[in-house]
Amino acid sequence: MTSSARRRRRREPQSSAGENRLWPALAVVVAALAYAVLPESLLVGPRLAIPVIELVLLGALVVTNPRRLVRQTRWSRGISIALACLVIATNLVALGMLVRSLTSSEPGGMPLLLAGMQVWLTNVIGFGLLFWEIDRGGPVARHTVVRDRLPPADWRFSQDENQDAVTEVAATSSERSNWRPELVDYLYVSLTNSSAFSPTDTMPLSARAKALMGLEATAALLTSLLVVARAVGALGQ
């Protein structure tokens, strides 16, 4: 890269004023509600214990960035990642309990199907939030740091490589439009990974990205093949 190109990259503007706080907050609330209405046998502790912890952590993050994600401290980033990990960990425990219940009892088809859908939904949200938190330094860094100072990417999106496509496609590429991935992009990655059990149009680059996607796909596969299949079978009896 020439010196003039390097100077141009350093003057590269941020992509926006920061992501809107509403959508990440709403995703956490949906995950908390989905966990709170699980059957009693799938809960860790009192029914509202985990949802309350998740909402308290979310409240601390909202205080830091009430409208736009533009400020980041070491503790706020740690809480953000811990919150996503809490959603994932408790949901995986619920999935384990759900699978165990298949061998220890004969649960009704409809309750089992609903529980499986709740676990699957929370799986998509939890991993989507974690992908969003760790890629390229997190949501604040992605929108406030110039590209040549961002940490290495964990995922490669189609916008990162379509700068040589036809004009109307290349116009939205990362290189030409300064596009940066947002929460909806990571939720889509999580959704497709949980549905197809593999990457689709977004490829994992780092070892941790591959490990997380593998864990998510395995959990989704268990939910689909064991829980939902058993529930559908029970409905037909």
Side-chain angles (χ1 to χ4, degrees):
M1 182 182 293
T2 64
S3 59
S4 61
R6 282 194 291 267
R7 287 194 297 269
R8 178 178 58 81
R9 292 291 292 276
R10 290 194 181 96
R11 292 195 301 269
E12 179 184 72
Q14 63 185 31
S15 62
S16 71
E19 287 191 59
N20 194 311
R21 163 56 72 187
L22 174 63
W23 305 116
L26 184 60
V28 173
V29 171
V30 170
L33 289 176
Y35 184 85
V37 297
L38 282 172
E40 192 73 32
S41 60
L42 305 183
L43 299 175
V44 178
R47 177 171 296 279
L48 296 181
I50 297 300
V52 166
I53 294 174
E54 292 172 350
L55 295 178
V56 168
L57 293 177
L58 175 62
L61 295 173
V62 169
V63 170
T64 304
N65 290 295
R67 294 185 178 181
R68 294 278 178 178
L69 301 177
V70 294
R71 292 184 297 274
Q72 178 175 283
T73 63
R74 181 174 298 179
W75 72 264
S76 67
R77 178 149 171 77
I79 289 177
S80 298
I81 294 175
L83 176 56
C85 290
L86 178 62
V87 172
I88 293 171
T90 53
N91 192 62
L92 290 178
V93 172
L95 175 58
M97 293 178 176
L98 187 56
V99 172
R100 186 181 63 179
S101 70
L102 298 179
T103 60
S104 60
S105 63
E106 290 291 337
M110 186 56 67
L112 185 60
L113 181 61
L114 291 176
M117 293 174 62
Q118 289 165 289
V119 168
W120 186 88
L121 173 64
T122 307
N123 194 56
V124 170
I125 294 175
F127 278 96
L129 286 170
L130 187 55
F131 297 167
W132 175 70
E133 288 288 356
I134 66 174
D135 187 31
R136 313 179 198 205
V140 175
R142 283 194 301 272
H143 287 266
T144 58
V145 178
V146 294
R147 290 191 182 278
D148 56 1
R149 296 183 182 178
L150 280 174
D154 290 283
W155 282 270
R156 185 191 70 212
F157 291 85
S158 57
Q159 289 90 337
D160 296 327
E161 56 185 356
N162 61 8
Q163 65 275 5
D164 296 324
V166 295
T167 303
E168 64 272 21
V169 174
T172 59
S173 67
S174 301
E175 182 176 310
R176 298 194 185 186
S177 69
N178 199 26
W179 178 87
R180 315 285 178 102
E182 298 189 351
L183 177 62
V184 65
D185 301 293
Y186 295 99
L187 288 176
Y188 176 75
V189 172
S190 182
L191 174 64
T192 55
N193 191 49
S194 291
S195 303
F197 315 123
S198 65
T200 53
D201 65 333
T202 303
M203 294 294 107
L205 302 177
S206 66
R208 66 179 180 178
K210 294 173 183 178
L212 288 173
M213 292 189 76
L215 177 61
E216 180 187 20
T218 301
L221 187 64
L222 284 173
T223 306
S224 300
L225 293 186
L226 297 182
V227 179
V228 176
R230 173 70 178 276
V232 172
L235 286 174
Q237 294 177 357

